[in-house]
Amino acid sequence: MGKRILPAFVLLFFSTASIAQKPANARSFYLKGIQLRNQNKFVEAVAAFQKAIKLDKKMDSAYFEIGLIFSRTQFADSAVWYYGKAIAVNPKMDVAHIALGNLYRDVKNKPDSAIASYFNALKTDSLNKLTYYSIAWCYNAKGESEKAIPYAIKSLEIDNNYKPGYNELGYAYRTTGKYREAIEQFKKNIAISPVDIAMLYTAYCYIELKEKDGAMEQYEALKKVNEKMADGLKKKIDAMQ
């Protein structure tokens, strides 16, 4: 009897059935979780990530994603736990350290714990301006603005145009009364590129020092790059005694 050749559509059926019957792996559940998260189906996404973890207890990214979802809810402690699990699996996961720091800073009001998390993140990525800015923010929030200054400066060394860094540095200088040091630092930044907010804070320092000429010099420079900001500054200069 001759060899039977199965029709192509039959072969296709068996091939498809075989694929469908393969057990789902951790990666597929993880990708499904990402898809569901992007669709704002957070409950279903958590379930998918948990299935991924059940199949692969070392999947740090799945722990991290659950932490992110819980951090947006009232379940802050659960978010801390999942971030901690991600970090336990992968101590060099800097995004998990940063996310944990943000949670301690913004939700749990624990700036010391936040700072510790940010320092852990720096061990893996020492060139992240956001991490340095966040450390400066926490020190300012703790009333330790002297400690905030070098971290705010570092964020600006990485990105001279990083406005949140200027905000924290300006606050720290104003709080500590280091107006001369502030002027020196901001002029260094302005020499790299004419950043409007650096000019503004330099002018504020001159106002605090009762040096109207210095403030007017910054006003004239600021007017060339941000006229609206310059108008607000002029009002403060005009109000000087």
Side-chain angles (χ1 to χ4, degrees), residues 30 34 37 42 46 49 60-73 75-76 78-80 82-83 86 93 95-96 98-100 102-103:
Y30 172 77
I34 295 294
R37 183 206 64 191
F42 300 120
V46 168
F49 291 132
D60 54 352
S61 52
Y63 289 115
F64 174 71
E65 289 294 337
I66 296 176
L68 279 179
I69 291 172
F70 279 132
S71 69
R72 300 171 184 172
T73 69
F75 302 112
S78 295
V80 169
Y82 277 101
Y83 286 146
M93 193 178 193
V95 292
I98 292 171
L100 182 58
N102 293 344
L103 190 67

Side-chain angles (χ1 to χ4, degrees), residues 199-223 226-241:
M199 296 175 182
L200 180 68
Y201 283 141
T202 304
Y204 283 167
C205 290
Y206 279 122
I207 291 171
E208 292 290 344
L209 293 167
K210 311 295 184 185
E211 297 180 9
K212 191 169 185 176
D213 288 344
M216 280 300 298
E217 181 182 355
Q218 293 305 309
Y219 161 72
E220 293 296 339
L222 180 59
K223 190 164 58 171
N226 190 328
E227 192 169 346
K228 184 176 180 181
M229 187 179 284
D231 289 342
L233 172 60
K234 186 63 163 55
K235 293 176 182 177
K236 289 184 178 293
I237 294 173
D238 292 340
M240 289 177 67
Q241 298 297 323

Side-chain angles (χ1 to χ4, degrees), residues 10-25 28:
V10 177
L11 290 174
L12 178 61
F13 171 80
F14 281 120
S15 176
T16 305
S18 176
I19 293 171
Q21 290 171 5
K22 285 184 179 179
N25 57 31
S28 66

Side-chain angles (χ1 to χ4, degrees), residues 60-61 64-65 68 82-104 113-132 134-135:
D60 54 352
S61 52
F64 174 71
E65 289 294 337
L68 279 179
Y82 277 101
Y83 286 146
K85 288 292 292 184
I87 291 167
V89 172
N90 181 5
K92 293 184 178 181
M93 193 178 193
D94 56 298
V95 292
H97 287 295
I98 292 171
L100 182 58
N102 293 344
L103 190 67
Y104 280 131
S113 297
I115 289 170
S117 294
Y118 294 135
F119 277 132
N120 285 330
L122 289 177
K123 294 176 184 177
T124 300
D125 183 1
S126 62
L127 295 176
N128 190 326
K129 64 187 179 184
L130 174 62
T131 309
Y132 289 105
S134 298
I135 292 171

Side-chain angles (χ1 to χ4, degrees), residues 165-185:
Y166 284 108
N167 288 333
E168 291 310 312
L169 186 56
Y171 180 89
Y173 277 136
R174 186 173 73 240
T175 303
T176 57
K178 294 188 172 185
Y179 303 119
R180 294 288 179 201
E181 293 92 330
I183 290 170
E184 182 181 357
Q185 177 61 46

